[in-house]
Structure formats: C-alpha cells, structure tokens
Amino acid sequence: MDIKVYLIDDCTIIRDGMKILLESKEGLIVVGNSTHGNDILQQLAEHCPDVVILNISGQFRSGIETIRAIRKNCPTIQIIIIAMQTTNEEVISLLRVGVAGCILAEYVSRDVMNAICAVNSGHRYLSKRISEKLVEDYINKANSMTQNSPLFDLSIREKEVLQLVVEGKTSADIAAILCISIRTVNTYRYRIMEKLNINDLPGLVRFAIQNGLTPP
C-alpha cells in the first residue's frame, strides 16, 4: 500500500520540487500540498495522509502551534519537520510536541525518503547532523556534571574505600577485601576526609549517600 504524503511549505517551487522527488519513488504518493494557513486541518481531513512534511524554516513558533493542532485533531498522522537550522533545544521541543522526524533543509533530498519510511513504521528519524549535535551536547553536559561532582577529585581506590566505609566495613575488613594493609586503608580514609573537608565518620557516610556513591 502506498504511503500517502501531504506537503506544507510557503514556497510553491519547493512544494512542486518535493512532489516530483517523492512521486519518483515507488510506494509513495503526494495526496496534497498547501501553504501554512488556517485550512490545513480541513485539508488533512479530506486527504487523510499517513505523513505530513512541514517546513518550519524561519517560523518555529507558528510551526509548533501547527504541529500541536495536527497532533490534537489528526493523532495518527506522522509529522516530519524540515528546518534550515535548529538548536538542540528546538529539536527537543519539536519531539515533545509530537514530531516524529526532523531533517535539515540542506539534506532533504538525501534524508526525506529514509525519514518517511522510518516514521511511517513508527520510528523517529533525525538528520545525522542533528543527532550528532544532540549526542555531543549530552556528552558535554555529562562531563560537566562529573567534573562538578564533589567526588571528582577522589581516585578510584579512594572511592572503593569510601564505599566500603559507608557499608560499615572496618579498616581490617577493607584491608582484606582490597588486599592492602590496614595502615594503607587508614591513609586512604585520611586522604578522603581531607579532600572532602569532612571530620568524622557519620559526616562521611551522609556525604556518600547524598552523592549517590552508595544506596541509603
């Protein structure tokens, strides 16, 4: 069964070009196209497309409202967004309001077929450049959170000793578990308390639990 596609773009030339591109592919049919406007919902109700391709370049806010209206009135339609450029925050906002695919205008000819097939099958699709930016931002935020953690300055061995201390192990227990001397364990404990500016064991335990090193 053909995938029925509806195009929304203010530029007639772009709509006509997109229609030619899509209908050159077997299994796709463009059932209609229009500019942004108040009659979009009526058009969608008449044509019953499976996928809507909506160009929001330069009109993000109005595009969000259009997406909300489509999702509310035609919840089975999958929406693919075309944008000139997007920030990570805009991409997240689009996904939150129900967009299934987001592709950059410069990669439309390469991405649009894959996007249509993906969203029509119930999956999400993001242009490679968009997904790379999202992943890079996530990694940067994760690294920043790690570096800002009070535990960042502790070595792996110090974290191991701290966890065992919080679990109620004595210095002798820890020495046996880690195969080190009691004196070395006590040295680690001293270093940990010094780095964390904590003066007693109860304070050390509270700190470890609050910072997620061990379960309460």
Side-chain angles (χ1 to χ4, degrees):
M1 183 179 294
D2 291 337
I3 301 174
K4 296 180 291 184
V5 181
Y6 191 93
L7 307 174
I8 303 174
D9 196 302
D10 286 341
C11 179
T12 303
I13 295 177
I14 292 178
R15 292 201 311 273
D16 290 345
M18 183 74 71
K19 185 175 187 294
I20 293 172
L21 171 66
L22 296 181
E23 292 194 331
S24 68
K25 307 296 182 181
E26 185 176 354
L28 294 182
I29 179 172
V30 177
V31 295
N33 67 85
S34 65
T35 61
H36 295 77
N38 296 327
D39 64 340
I40 288 177
L41 295 179
Q42 180 180 342
Q43 292 291 322
L44 295 181
E46 292 177 2
H47 292 91
C48 300
D50 302 303
V51 177
V52 166
I53 299 179
L54 170 64
N55 191 334
I56 62 167
S57 299
Q59 44 191 328
F60 180 80
R61 291 185 180 179
S62 61
I64 286 286
E65 294 308 313
T66 299
I67 295 163
R68 286 186 174 131
I70 294 174
R71 294 299 299 157
K72 179 180 179 180
N73 292 275
C74 312
T76 62
I77 293 177
Q78 301 302 316
I79 303 172
I80 297 172
I81 293 302
I82 297 175
M84 289 297 294
Q85 59 182 2
T86 57
T87 64
N88 287 342
E89 290 74 17
E90 288 174 340
V91 173
I92 296 301
S93 295
L94 290 170
L95 295 175
R96 283 176 174 167
V97 296
V99 166
C102 187
I103 57 181
L104 294 176
E106 61 185 303
Y107 300 119
V108 165
S109 60
R110 184 190 72 185
D111 285 351
V112 69
M113 301 303 304
N114 292 333
I116 292 172
C117 292
V119 304
N120 191 62
S121 299
H123 304 293
R124 295 190 186 277
Y125 187 92
L126 300 176
S127 285
K128 181 179 179 182
R129 185 173 165 188
I130 293 175
S131 60
E132 286 177 344
K133 285 172 61 180
L134 287 173
V135 171
E136 182 180 358
D137 184 59
Y138 174 82
I139 291 173
N140 289 338
K141 287 182 178 178
N143 287 340
S144 176
M145 289 176 64
T146 299
Q147 292 175 9
N148 291 330
S149 169
L151 297 173
F152 180 73
D153 290 331
L154 298 186
S155 68
I156 293 176
R157 179 64 89 185
E158 287 169 346
K159 290 177 182 177
E160 291 174 340
V161 171
L162 176 56
Q163 181 164 340
L164 291 170
V165 168
V166 173
E167 290 175 359
K169 300 293 191 297
T170 66
S171 292
D173 294 331
I174 298 172
I177 292 170
L178 299 181
C179 298
I180 56 179
S181 69
I182 295 176
R183 181 176 180 180
T184 300
V185 172
N186 290 333
T187 297
Y188 278 126
R189 290 180 60 165
Y190 173 79
R191 289 178 181 172
I192 293 167
M193 298 177 80
E194 186 178 50
K195 287 182 178 181
L196 300 178
N197 194 28
I198 296 173
N199 299 318
D200 53 48
L201 182 57
L204 195 61
V205 173
R206 285 194 301 271
F207 170 87
I209 293 174
Q210 290 169 358
N211 286 274
L213 186 62
T214 59

